[in-house]
Amino acid sequence: LSRFSDAPGAFNFRLLATHTIENSTNLFGVVTDRVGETGGTGSPDWMGTLFLGYSVGGFQGNVTTRYISSGVLNALYIDPSDEGYATATQNTINDNSVDSVVYFNLNASYSFGQDGRFQVFGQVNNLLNEEPPSAPQLQFPSNPVYFDLVGRSYRAGIRFEF
């Protein structure tokens, strides 16, 4: 960031990443590893969040990027790309894949007044209106734990102290 040393204000960034190595259950001696199962009760192989921010005076702006890796709908299902697939086999499915996704969120605020007691803020979640990958649940079209089911949303307001 030395290139920005002459720029007014401050830049900040933070990267958080999670790599799940194992997420196994043992049910009566049958071990099922649910790493990469983003459609059910498992966990993604990789997840990451990148925060980029800039502040100067009373202004503060942030861009947040979230990544969820591709996976499978259910670790117990097999599809035509798996070894041993046959239409008569138990737990077969036409497509067991769940696509990866990247979301961008934008936040900005401006503080003013005596000691910055007033603040105007705005937020746009899912800035590019990215649709969630198809990963049907009982009551949801995708997994609400990992994926944005709402689409682009806006929030704005004023905060104040007294």
Side-chain angles (χ1 to χ4, degrees):
L1 293 175
S2 62
R3 290 182 177 180
F4 302 113
S5 62
D6 294 334
F11 291 92
N12 61 66
F13 70 95
R14 181 165 74 166
L15 175 64
L16 305 173
T18 301
H19 175 56
T20 306
I21 298 169
E22 183 178 2
N23 183 10
S24 296
T25 56
N26 185 334
L27 183 61
F28 303 111
V30 177
V31 177
T32 304
D33 188 0
R34 295 192 183 272
V35 169
E37 182 184 285
T38 53
T41 59
S43 57
D45 189 26
W46 282 98
M47 286 181 23
T49 305
L50 174 64
F51 301 93
L52 299 171
Y54 176 71
S55 58
V56 60
F59 173 80
Q60 183 176 5
N62 298 294
V63 175
T64 305
T65 306
R66 289 190 313 125
Y67 168 76
I68 299 99
S69 65
S70 61
V72 296
L73 184 61
N74 189 313
L76 298 176
Y77 293 170
I78 55 174
D79 70 8
S81 67
D82 295 321
E83 186 178 320
Y85 173 81
T87 54
T89 306
Q90 185 178 1
N91 290 337
T92 61
I93 191 169
N94 289 343
D95 185 4
N96 195 27
S97 64
V98 177
D99 293 336
S100 64
V101 70
V102 177
Y103 297 111
F104 295 94
N105 300 333
L106 180 65
N107 303 289
S109 65
Y110 182 74
S111 299
F112 58 95
Q114 183 180 4
D115 299 326
R117 297 178 77 161
F118 296 93
Q119 185 182 66
V120 177
F121 68 90
Q123 179 179 17
V124 182
N125 286 328
N126 196 353
L127 185 65
L128 302 179
N129 201 24
E130 186 70 32
E131 290 191 21
S134 178
Q137 304 290 301
L138 290 174
Q139 69 270 31
F140 300 109
S142 192
N143 189 337
V145 174
Y146 302 116
F147 305 116
D148 181 353
L149 303 184
V150 175
R152 184 181 304 128
S153 61
Y154 304 91
R155 191 167 98 178
I158 299 172
R159 295 183 185 110
F160 59 92
E161 293 180 23
F162 56 93

